[in-house]
């Protein structure tokens, strides 16, 4: 099926193939340090978004007790 | 009342031209009752490009047989045990099917592709095998069934559609209405039967959990305030729809399923909704206010082990992206763009099985070196992937970088696992805040998004049926 809805067989992905045995991935090394580290306040905003995502679930659970679906 | 010859075998295929004879086939089922859902089945099939419809009878349907054995079979005069199946085809292929039950609410298990005018917006599609004419075919779309109004209500039909979709797409267990009733904790004793009164929101949550689809839940009105105005109902919904995960909506008396979305030129979002009262592909906008149809609650059943929700994953991904563009070793030239106001770089986040993610990278133009890095990076079965996009770029070079977050990590401390930004690749080791870093490709590296363009596009008018001649098919 294409995005436009025509009838088509879905595209066939490339056939699986085994990797060459000597191909190794270089993941690099740890290179800590920043001349321009993130300000504490800005990091706190990201962390607050993570914490708030839990609160949203609690509010949802409360709502679930109020709705009756026929 | 049953249509004539219900369940009578026919010694060969019965093919009807959909445009010219479709309404005569549809009228065959009028004696059961009026059915807006069956009208919609024919409209959707025609809009999706079907040219013929076959009547396949008798047909033994797994879901109807289950309902019959758990509920209808207890009646003094039970309905017939067989159904009829409509098979919609193009010239050479089977496009979809609809099972017709011998009940007033007649539309049973149905899977049709979306009509062309809505097709580009539908993000939740699965393949279902269909056995017909001596072969196995594959049809693609979102599963639909109307409620029967007796054994199950709209919530059962909505839960069934989500469960069947996840079964077909993500290989979760196959569920029936009786299994859903059992999981909700509302099953009657084996020798006692009762029609359904309805379900509370928490019954629905329990049902999803009981069938192996633990569900997230959101009070729609509170989403902005609780998130400190970093989220809206649309931002939460679209994250899951981009993941191919349907989102259930509860109003004060009805349950719908969102299965896609589009964006108008004004930026306003509309949704593609599966509503068991209407059909699988209805276009609708969020309903706010105090009317009974106002959307109150979102329920997001999750098909895999996903301990981290989308909002938390995106926040952590943005945090580590910023750390990387601030780091001494990395694409520091992107920091100014990242911090620009108004935002220059946008983030779109979706959940995906990790196998689907890695097998799709090459087709999106991700350089081989980065593909290999991510293929061999240790990872969980499910990932949240945050794409950082430059919307001013052409479609095939829109993505600047991606951060993959382990969906099985901690909700309060989501763990990035690997990522890439502008040719740099990252691997986070357990317990280490700083990743291993390597520049695998020099120069500007951009590639295509895994998420389709959902901007609204004009579509051709759907075709029309020839008028009904007055004689139904027998």
């Amino acid at each position: 099926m294409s995005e436009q809805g025509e009838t088509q067989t879905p595209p066939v992905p490339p056939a699986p193939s085994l990797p060459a045995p000597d191909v190794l991935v270089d993941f690099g090394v740890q290179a800590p340090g920043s001349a321009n580290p993130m300000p504490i306040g800005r990091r706190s905003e990201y962390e607050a978004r993570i914490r708030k995502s839990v609160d949203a679930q609690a509010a949802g659970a409360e709502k679930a007790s109020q709705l009756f679906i026929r | 009342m049953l249509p004539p010859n219900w369940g009578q075998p026919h010694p060969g295929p019965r093919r009807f031209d959909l445009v010219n004879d479709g309404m005569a086939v549809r009228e065959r089922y009028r004696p059961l009752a009026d059915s807006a859902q069956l009208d919609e089945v024919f409209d959707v099939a025609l809009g999706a490009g079907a040219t013929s419809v076959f009547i396949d009878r008798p047909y033994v349907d797994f879901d109807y047989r289950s309902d019959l054995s758990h509920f209808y079979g207890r009646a003094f005069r039970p309905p017939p045990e067989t159904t009829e199946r409509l098979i919609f085809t193009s010239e050479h292929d089977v496009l979809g099917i609809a099972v017709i039950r011998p009940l007033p609410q007649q539309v049973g298990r149905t899977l049709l592709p979306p009509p062309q005018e809505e097709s580009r917006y539908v993000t939740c599609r699965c393949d279902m095998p269909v056995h017909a004419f001596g072969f196995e075919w594959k049809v693609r779309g979102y599963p639909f069934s109307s409620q029967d109004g007796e054994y199950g209500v709209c919530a059962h039909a909505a839960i069934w559609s989500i469960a069947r979709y996840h079964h077909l797409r993500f290989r979760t267990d196959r569920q029936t209405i009786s299994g859903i009733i059992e999981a909700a904790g509302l099953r009657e004793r084996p020798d006692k039967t009762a029609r359904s009164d309805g379900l509370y929101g928490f019954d629905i949550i329990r049902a999803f959990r009981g069938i192996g689809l633990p569900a997230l839940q959101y009070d729609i009105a509170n989403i902005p305030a609780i998130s400190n105005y970093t989220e809206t109902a649309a931002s939460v919904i679209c994250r899951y729809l981009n993941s191919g995960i349907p989102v259930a909506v509860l109003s004060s008396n009805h349950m719908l399923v969102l299965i896609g979305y589009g964006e108008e030129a004004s930026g306003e979002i509309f949704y593609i909704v599966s509503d068991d009262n209407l059909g699988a592909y209805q276009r609708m906008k969020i309903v706010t206010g105090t009317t009974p149809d106002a959307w109150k609650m979102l329920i997001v059943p999750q098909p895999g082990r996903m301990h981290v929700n989308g909002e938390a994953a995106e926040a952590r991904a943005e945090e580590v992206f910023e750390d990387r563009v601030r780091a001494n070793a990395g694409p520091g030239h992107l920091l100014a763009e990242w911090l620009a106001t108004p935002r220059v770089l946008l983030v779109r986040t979706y959940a995906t099985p990790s196998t689907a993610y890695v097998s799709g990278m090459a087709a999106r133009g991700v350089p081989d070196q980065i593909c290999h890095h991510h293929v061999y990076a240790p990872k969980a079965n499910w990932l949240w992937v945050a794409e950082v996009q430059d919307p001013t770029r052409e479609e095939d070079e829109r993505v600047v970088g991606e951060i993959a977050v382990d969906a099985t990590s901690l909700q309060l401390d989501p763990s990035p696992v690997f990522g890439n930004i502008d040719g740099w690749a990252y691997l986070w080791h357990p317990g280490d805040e700083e990743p291993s870093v390597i520049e695998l490709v020099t120069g500007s590296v951009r590639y295509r998004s895994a998420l389709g363009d959902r901007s609204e596009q004009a579509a051709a008018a759907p075709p029309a049926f020839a008028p009904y001649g007055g004689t139904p098919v027998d």
Side-chain angles (χ1 to χ4, degrees), chain B residues 93-125:
Chain B
D93 201 3
V94 172
L95 293 189
I97 59 102
V99 169
I100 310 299
R101 305 180 292 215
L103 302 173
Q105 290 279 14
Q106 56 217 247
V107 177
R109 181 174 58 95
T110 296
L111 199 141
L112 288 162
Q116 290 190 10
E117 68 268 25
E118 308 298 4
S119 185
R120 63 182 278 109
Y121 313 117
V122 177
T123 61
C124 300
R125 302 180 200 222

Side-chain angles (χ1 to χ4, degrees), chain A residues 1 3-4 7 26-27 29-30 33-36 38 42-43 46-47 49 52-53 57 64 67-69, chain B residues 95 113 119 125 198-202 217-218 226 318-319 322-323 326 328 335 411 432 434 436-437:
Chain A
M1 174 71 60
E3 281 297 309
Q4 299 307 315
T7 307
D26 185 354
F27 288 126
V29 295
Q30 284 186 320
S34 170
N36 185 15
M38 195 188 306
R42 191 165 171 81
R43 191 174 298 283
Y46 288 122
E47 299 296 328
R49 283 170 59 188
K52 293 284 186 185
S53 70
Q57 295 306 302
L67 298 173
F68 185 72
I69 309 300
Chain B
L95 293 189
S119 185
R125 302 180 200 222
L199 290 90
Y200 279 100
F202 53 75
Q217 40 202 322
Y218 298 86
I226 285 183
E318 289 189 22
E319 182 181 5
E322 182 168 335
D323 278 332
R326 286 177 178 275
N328 291 336
L335 179 60
Q411 169 71 32
D432 285 350
E434 292 287 337
S436 294
V437 182

Side-chain angles (χ1 to χ4, degrees), chain A residues 15-28:
Chain A
S17 60
L18 292 171
D22 55 350
V23 174
L24 298 177
V25 174
D26 185 354
F27 288 126

Side-chain angles (χ1 to χ4, degrees), chain B residues 40-71:
Chain B
E40 184 69 6
V41 162
F42 278 82
D43 287 342
V44 166
L46 191 63
T51 54
S52 298
V53 55
F54 291 75
I55 297 178
D56 178 27
R57 74 181 188 215
Y59 180 70
V60 176
D61 179 58
F62 175 80
D63 292 284
Y64 175 68
R65 272 294 171 94
S66 173
D67 294 354
L68 187 78
S69 62
H70 287 92
F71 183 76

Side-chain angles (χ1 to χ4, degrees), chain B residues 198-260:
Chain B
L199 290 90
Y200 279 100
F202 53 75
D203 292 329
I204 295 169
I205 301 288
R206 189 190 304 120
F208 277 124
R209 190 170 285 275
I211 60 176
L213 298 170
L216 299 169
Q217 40 202 322
Y218 298 86
D219 179 350
I220 292 177
N222 280 337
I223 288 173
I226 285 183
S227 68
N228 235 354
Y229 299 93
T230 58
E231 299 282 350
T232 63
S235 69
V236 171
I237 293 168
C238 291
R239 216 172 268 129
Y240 290 101
L241 293 180
N242 281 332
S243 310
I245 295 178
V247 175
V249 172
L250 301 189
S251 66
S252 15
N253 56 15
H254 194 41
M255 183 168 173
L256 310 165
V257 186
L258 312 184
I259 58 171

Side-chain angles (χ1 to χ4, degrees), chain B residues 113-167:
Chain B
Q116 290 190 10
E117 68 268 25
E118 308 298 4
S119 185
R120 63 182 278 109
Y121 313 117
V122 177
T123 61
C124 300
R125 302 180 200 222
C126 56
D127 294 330
M128 182 177 79
V130 167
H131 300 102
F133 318 121
F135 297 98
E136 179 172 303
W137 310 80
K138 195 177 283 184
V139 298
R140 187 143 215 256
Y142 185 78
F144 176 82
S145 174
S146 63
Q147 62 174 295
D148 66 359
E150 296 285 339
Y151 189 39
V153 296
C154 66
H156 294 101
I159 296 169
W160 175 89
S161 78
I162 292 172
R164 187 57 54 91
Y165 168 81
H166 283 312
H167 166 68

